[in-house]
Each structure stands twice: as C-alpha cells, then as structure tokens.
Amino acid sequence: MSDLRDVLEREARRIEGAPEAWETMMQRATRRRTARRVGTAVLALVVAAGGSLFAIRALGPTADVRPVAAPDTLTAEIAGVSVDFPADWTLLDVRHQIDDEAPASPFPSPVLEILNVTGQSCLNARGTPLPETAVILQVAELTEAPGRLPAWPVSLERESGSSFGCGEGQPVFRDHHASWRASGRHFSATLGVGPDASRADIDAAFAAFSSLRFEDGWDPFLEFSAGPRQVVNSGPAWISHAFEAAHGEFCVQVGGERIRGDTVGAACEFTVTARQPLDFSTKAMDDGRVAFGAVTHEATRVTVNGAEARVVTPLGRYSVEYKLFAAFVPPSSAVEIEAFDDAGRNIVTAGRTFPSDGSSPPPPVETPEPLTPQARGARAFVEEFAAARVDGADREALRRFLSDAVDTAYAEGRGELSLYEEPGVGPYSGFEVPHTEEISGQDHMVSLGMSVETRGCVETFYEELVVRVAGDELRIVGASRPGVIASDCPSGRP
Amino acid sequence: MPDPGNGWGRSSVSSPMDALTEPAQVALVTEPPFEDFFHAHFERLLRVLYLVGGDRHEAEDLAQEALVKAYERWDRIRGLSDPAGYVYRMALNARRSRFRRLALAARKSVGRPEPDPISATDDRDAIRRALRTLPEGQREALVLVEWLGLSDEEAGKLLGVRPVTVRVRISRARPMLQEALRDV
C-alpha cells in the first residue's frame, strides 16, 4: 500500500502552512475574544448592577434572582440550583458555555459562576484578565458521575498543589474542589482564589458555596442551556445537543457514549423541519424516559400525554424560531405530543405508542406507503432483523446480536442487504445501530440509521423499532416510519 | 510516511475527553506553551483537512479555527493525555458540521452544480478528484490511517467509530481509490 501512501503524500505536499500562520491565528483569536468581551461585559454589568432581576430573567429562561432579607445579599436560582451571594458580586449563567464544536463527552456542564468582580466567566478561558484579588466559584453538573459521590452538604477541600489559570498570562488561582450528589443529580464545584484575594471575599465565597440548595423534584439530567449549541439532555450513557442548522431547520444530535462497549460520538442525528416536533423518547433515568423535541416559535404550550411539558424559549441566543420542550414519561407508556398556539389552537400533534410490559397490546406495525427504494431497503432489514435469533433473552445478548449483525453484514459485504436489488441504489455510506435501550422487562427500543447513495446523492434514514425478546427469539412489535433525516439529493429525488 | 509527531499519545487508551470528566482544574506550566504545539501540529492538521476536503482554503480556515479554539482552552487541553487528538477531532467535527450545512443547502437548491470543465481535465487535480469519489467516512479513515499513520483504534477514537468500522472503510476505500487513480 506504499504506492497509495506516496500518492497521498504527494498530494499533501501541494500545500504548506503559510509563514504567517501563527500571527494570523493570534489575530483571529483576538477578534473572537473582543467580540465576546463586548457581549459579556454588557451581560455582567447588567447582572452585577442590582437590576439583576430583569437581567437574569432575560438571559436565562429559568434563572430567578431576588433580594432576600439582608439587602446586601441576592438569591439566584439557575437550573434548579439556588445560591445566596453578595449583591455587589457578579452572577453568570454559564449554561451556554458548552463547546460548540468540541466532541460530545460527559465533562462537567457549567451551571453558574459567581465572582467578586465584574468580568467574564473564566470557565472557558475566554475572559478578560481577572485581577489578582478575584475570587470565583464555579458550579457544574456532571452528566456522568465519577463513581459514588457523597451526598450534599459537602465541604470544599483544598487540593495540594492544585491551582488553575484563567487564560494565558492571567493570575494563577489557588483552588478548592468538591463533588457531590443532590436531588438525583451530580455536581462539582471549583473555588478559585486569586493571590491577593481578601479574607472577607474568600469567606463570602465559602458562604455562597454553603448556601447552595437543590430543588427537589428538579428533573435530573433534564436541562436546557442557551447558546448556538446546547446540551438538550443527557443520561448515563448519552448526551444530546441541539443547534440551528441552515435554512431554519433545527438539528438534534444524539451522541452515545460507550455504546456497545465503545465510545461513539454523534452516533445519530435528526433534522427537524418546521412545525414538526421531534418525536423521540429515550430513557433518561432508571425509572422513566424523557420525551423531548422542538416546536416552532408560535407554539406557546406543549403537552406530553396531556401534561404540560417544560418549554424553554427562545432556543439559544441566535434563534427565535424554535422552542425546546421536554417531559418525563413512564417507561412503557405512549408518547403523545401536542403543541398549541396563543389562541389555544392545536398546531401540531405527534406521537408514538410503545408496547407496555403486557398490560396493553402492542401497537400495530406501520406499513408506510409509498416507500422509496431506500425505505424498502430499511424495511427489508427490519424483516431480516425480525427473523434473527439470539442466544438468551438478556440485554447483553441483544446488544451483542445487534453489534455482530452489523459487523457481519459489513464483513461479508452484506451491509447493503437487499438495497442492491433496487436498480441504481447503493452503496451504503453509513450504517449504524447507534442506540438500544430497555424499555420494559423484555422490550427494547432499537435505533437504526443508514445512509444510502442513490445516483450520486445521499439520503440518510432513521428508524426506531421496538424489539421484544422472547426466549431466543427476537420479534419486532413496533416500528416508526422510516424517515429521511438528511439528504443532499435535489428536490423530487429519487 | 509522515511522523505522527510528539504529543500524539499513541499509547493512550483513554479518550481525550476523559480527562475533562474531572472537576475543571488545570495543571500548570509543565506542559509546552501553545505556540510550540501550534508549530508542531498546524501544517499536519492543515494537510489532513486538505486531503479529506480537497479545498486548501477551507482546510486553512478549519485548521485555524480549531487551533484558535484550542488556544482559548489551552489551560484545559494541555493537561490532556492527547491534546493533538482533541484538536484533530475538533477540526474534523467542524468540517462535518459544515458539510452537513452544505448538504442541507444542496437539498434546497434546484440542482447540483455542474463540474468545472477546466478542473475536470487538469491532471494536477486528478488525485484530489479521485479522493473526492470516496464517501466522506472512507476518505477520513484513509487519510488518518494511510497518510497520518494512525492505528485503527486511534482513528476510530478520533472519528467516533469503532476500529472495525475504520478497517471496513479503508478496505473499501483502497480499491476504489486505486481504480480512480489507474490512469494517473
């Protein structure tokens, strides 16, 4: 294969980094920092200036700040976390500071930050230099707990030799850490203390930490954050992001972690067109699933199974077109989503029925027509899948089966399944079983995604199946309609 | 065969992001300054993006963007076991993100752009055109393994797929590319 390597090397050597690349990059970094500084300075000043109530309400959909008994103290609530802090300090809702293009991963998801100066959050090292007198308390939620954490209340502990900077060239802060669980969620906090911080400010930061309260009943792992890309939801093994795509469409990416024993990033994607809530449910905790999605801005109310869903609006700072909603649903119930406008008119209804654990009959298998050739291929796979068998009824066996089925199909060149039988269809450019989950004792939801190239354009399909494991047999007892979720085919194709 | 370079973390078995599951804290000063990292990796990253995307301007833009972000987060990234892997992954993610937007835009358009008759007959672009015949995932896998010299496991981590998927993609890409390059 050295010939191929030589060919690639020859092609690669056609371009070289410009001599001024470093300077260009630094100029670009400066421009980005300046743009952020303007926006954040306005944010921080407004928040710090006592008129905080309006400001935080405007900036964070669920943030709530109000004066408490002592006039020099404010209480804020962000994402179910309440904190008391000095009124002349700055509170930042940092939930939007999710890396917009970083690989999905269960790293701490920032919630709030308080500091004794007016300034930028230093969580992403994007801020203006903080003075050496600064004190910063950062609270983040852990989407995946590193082992069993102690229950709240806990104390901030100094870690020997530990310290952190807030951007290159900025003062070094000594820091303290704590991790804990509370109300079914997992958190970590870092307290940074500048080299010249006053004792009073350090004490105030410790007091603020001790004042943290966690709303009972706040939906674990059910958090929205503002920004161009947001963590919509996450669970022990997966995380989803939402972002606005071109042409007003709205994309939700579901990235699985350690699925099939491996790390899979952005394993599945959805594109939701206007007026169509994303009908996707998944298991967020041991005792339920979360239905979540997006509706267009004219929806003022969303219900899931008749109950009000949490609706957050607008979607991020750069879009007023969509609102996100979410609600917990029981493990085996149907999911019926309805959205209503200002006048109470039902503007959209969507839903799907999952089979229960036997108390109700399984839903009929849909037979959508007309089907494209690709969709017929998807259906063929479903049928082949339904006829397959596994050794045992346990979840691992199912997982193994799915994994092996895909690997074998690839290895034997059968990844195409029956799609090649359709003239002009093929080959696959992707085929994934990105997600499986147990939705009752014997039923599993299986997500399938596949991309198919047809006459030079690519369409990506997504389908959800409900698979029942009975003895050594797998049976499809429910299926969503295979839908095109992405395509670069010109309109009207195929 | 290009040298994978220092800092690639070949023997690392953990994801670059694993380190970030710990509370946000950053080791100090023992890691190299960002400028050294930049000079060690910029050109290689640029060439990977060029081979994958075929557009030198886009490659330059993506490489710069990824490294700007790395610079902004250097306090956190430099402590990772594999900072270069993190940056490559960020750059390829950004490229895919753009690709998706373009795909959506294409869906809205009335037709696909006609190939440029001049570039189509330019022999100098033959390799680039041949690479473009490969599906996106195959092209990425091929460049990372064949040119950058990563193992299947390393490329899989970077691309967010399993090693077996990388192997399959490469085994499909090789004959297709050789066929496309037959007359070059």
Side-chain angles (χ1 to χ4, degrees):
Chain A
M1 224 51 232
S2 62
D3 286 351
L4 180 54
R5 193 167 294 140
D6 291 344
V7 165
L8 292 171
E9 179 67 13
R10 197 182 344 147
E11 181 66 10
R13 289 196 178 279
R14 290 181 61 182
I15 65 167
E16 292 180 350
E20 68 278 13
W22 167 253
E23 288 73 22
T24 306
M25 193 224 74
M26 291 304 290
Q27 288 164 5
R28 193 165 174 163
T30 303
R31 284 199 301 274
R32 280 167 61 98
R33 192 163 54 236
T34 304
R36 282 203 191 90
R37 195 178 296 169
V38 171
T40 310
V42 172
L43 180 158
L45 283 170
V46 173
V47 173
S52 324
L53 183 62
F54 172 79
I56 293 188
R57 279 195 187 284
L59 291 164
T62 56
D64 182 20
V65 173
R66 56 190 178 281
V68 292
D72 57 349
T73 304
L74 294 175
T75 294
E77 184 269 318
I78 295 175
V81 179
S82 297
V83 62
D84 301 336
F85 61 101
D88 58 346
W89 284 32
T90 301
L91 166 73
L92 295 174
D93 176 349
V94 288
R95 288 174 295 167
H96 61 282
Q97 295 196 351
I98 301 297
D99 293 352
D100 55 350
E101 282 168 349
S105 184
F107 65 94
S109 180
V111 175
L112 63 86
E113 185 171 298
I114 59 172
L115 56 165
N116 63 342
V117 294
T118 298
Q120 161 70 292
S121 162
C122 95
L123 212 54
N124 284 344
R126 290 168 174 170
T128 54
L130 289 168
E132 299 192 344
T133 55
V135 174
I136 311 168
L137 175 65
Q138 303 162 346
V139 177
E141 181 163 9
L142 303 172
T143 54
E144 185 171 325
R148 177 80 172 165
L149 296 178
W152 179 261
V154 298
S155 300
L156 284 164
E157 302 291 342
R158 176 91 171 91
E159 294 194 350
S160 63
S162 176
S163 54
F164 71 102
C166 197
E168 287 206 340
Q170 298 201 17
V172 172
F173 285 65
R174 292 170 288 142
D175 68 353
H176 299 66
H177 297 287
S179 299
W180 67 94
R181 61 187 160 86
S183 297
R185 305 162 74 186
H186 300 92
F187 296 93
S188 71
T190 300
L191 172 64
V193 178
D196 292 337
S198 71
R199 186 69 248 170
D201 281 353
I202 296 171
D203 290 345
F206 273 94
F209 176 77
S210 299
S211 77
L212 288 172
R213 297 177 298 283
F214 307 93
E215 187 180 317
D216 284 338
W218 181 266
D219 302 332
F221 304 124
L222 181 57
E223 185 45 62
F224 300 113
S225 52
R229 181 170 179 178
Q230 305 136 58
V231 172
V232 177
N233 215 324
S234 60
W238 58 277
I239 188 168
S240 67
H241 295 92
F243 59 91
E244 188 184 5
H247 301 285
E249 289 187 309
F250 173 79
C251 296
V252 176
Q253 268 190 352
V254 179
E257 296 289 335
R258 299 183 183 83
I259 291 173
R260 291 181 299 197
D262 205 341
T263 300
V264 182
C268 181
E269 291 176 17
F270 304 81
T271 301
V272 185
T273 53
R275 294 182 182 282
Q276 170 126 31
L278 178 61
D279 173 20
F280 178 78
S281 304
T282 190
K283 186 174 179 178
M285 304 188 311
D286 293 339
D287 57 352
R289 305 195 317 271
V290 174
F292 64 89
V295 288
T296 44
H297 64 93
E298 63 265 42
T300 56
R301 235 183 104 229
V302 176
T303 64
V304 175
N305 292 349
E308 296 286 330
R310 183 187 299 274
V311 178
V312 176
T313 179
L315 171 61
R317 292 171 295 177
Y318 305 124
S319 171
V320 292
E321 293 296 316
Y322 294 92
K323 299 173 180 178
L324 300 175
F325 68 86
F328 269 96
V329 293
S332 302
S333 78
V335 177
E336 291 291 338
I337 299 166
E338 291 182 290
F340 304 89
D341 65 10
D342 249 344
R345 289 187 294 261
N346 181 329
I347 56 175
V348 72
T349 299
R352 184 177 64 252
T353 301
F354 283 96
S356 71
D357 54 4
S359 56
S360 60
V365 176
E366 293 182 23
T367 52
E369 290 293 343
L371 293 176
T372 63
Q374 291 87 349
R376 283 200 293 278
R379 180 62 57 190
F381 175 80
V382 169
E383 289 164 2
E384 178 174 314
F385 182 80
R389 290 169 184 276
V390 292
D391 296 327
D394 64 285
R395 188 175 174 183
E396 274 311 303
L398 175 66
R399 195 183 296 268
R400 244 184 349 261
F401 166 79
L402 291 169
S403 179
D404 292 345
V406 174
D407 290 347
T408 305
Y410 265 133
E412 296 177 358
R414 288 194 307 109
E416 295 75 14
L417 298 170
S418 60
L419 289 178
Y420 275 152
E421 295 173 8
E422 298 290 341
V425 177
Y428 277 103
S429 58
F431 184 90
E432 294 286 345
V433 183
H435 190 70
T436 67
E437 65 182 57
E438 187 176 333
I439 56 176
S440 72
Q442 56 185 1
D443 294 333
H444 303 257
M445 190 181 81
V446 178
S447 304
L448 298 175
M450 62 188 82
S451 298
V452 183
E453 185 173 336
T454 308
R455 302 181 192 93
C457 63
V458 176
E459 289 185 302
T460 302
F461 290 82
Y462 176 77
E463 180 165 13
E464 288 177 352
L465 310 173
V466 175
V467 178
R468 179 162 295 172
V469 180
D472 62 351
E473 186 177 355
L474 285 177
R475 193 155 54 91
I476 305 291
V477 293
S480 67
R481 180 186 296 266
V484 177
I485 59 169
S487 169
D488 67 355
C489 298
S491 300
R493 292 284 326 284
Chain B
M1 166 83 183
D3 174 14
N6 57 2
W8 182 255
R10 251 176 187 292
S11 61
S12 168
V13 293
S14 61
S15 157
M17 298 300 290
D18 286 350
L20 293 176
T21 57
E22 297 301 321
Q25 55 183 313
V26 175
L28 280 179
V29 299
T30 52
E31 294 80 13
F34 181 76
E35 188 169 357
D36 290 354
F37 177 86
F38 178 92
H39 291 305
H41 293 284
F42 174 71
E43 190 157 274
R44 192 176 298 120
L45 175 63
L46 178 69
R47 287 174 169 173
V48 164
L49 291 165
Y50 170 67
L51 287 173
V52 170
D55 184 319
R56 70 175 63 202
H57 300 296
E58 180 194 61
E60 178 101 22
D61 189 45
L62 286 166
Q64 285 272 355
E65 186 69 13
L67 284 161
V68 164
K69 289 179 178 177
Y71 170 70
E72 291 171 340
R73 301 161 196 170
W74 187 237
D75 271 347
R76 292 187 353 177
I77 293 173
R78 68 181 176 181
L80 301 178
S81 60
D82 184 10
Y86 181 91
V87 174
Y88 274 74
R89 197 170 166 188
M90 195 157 58
L92 287 169
N93 280 358
R95 210 195 83 75
R96 284 191 218 119
S97 180
R98 286 191 191 182
F99 181 76
R100 281 194 296 271
R101 291 188 196 113
L102 290 173
L104 285 167
R107 193 168 87 182
K108 301 287 181 186
S109 69
V110 292
R112 297 169 73 80
E114 293 299 319
D116 178 352
I118 296 176
S119 68
T121 57
D122 187 346
D123 282 345
R124 289 174 304 173
D125 286 335
I127 299 171
R128 189 160 58 96
R129 286 204 311 275
L131 280 167
R132 296 288 292 173
T133 63
L134 300 177
E136 185 76 8
Q138 292 182 17
R139 208 180 322 141
E140 289 175 341
L142 192 77
V143 170
L144 292 177
V145 173
E146 289 292 344
W147 184 73
L148 196 59
L150 301 188
S151 67
D152 295 340
E153 288 73 19
E154 288 166 337
K157 275 187 180 172
L158 214 146
L159 296 171
V161 300
R162 289 167 298 154
V164 66
T165 305
V166 173
R167 282 194 290 278
V168 167
R169 287 179 182 176
I170 290 174
S171 67
R172 290 184 173 194
R174 279 177 179 146
M176 287 174 68
L177 190 62
Q178 283 173 333
E179 175 65 26
L181 289 170
R182 181 168 299 190
D183 299 326
V184 175

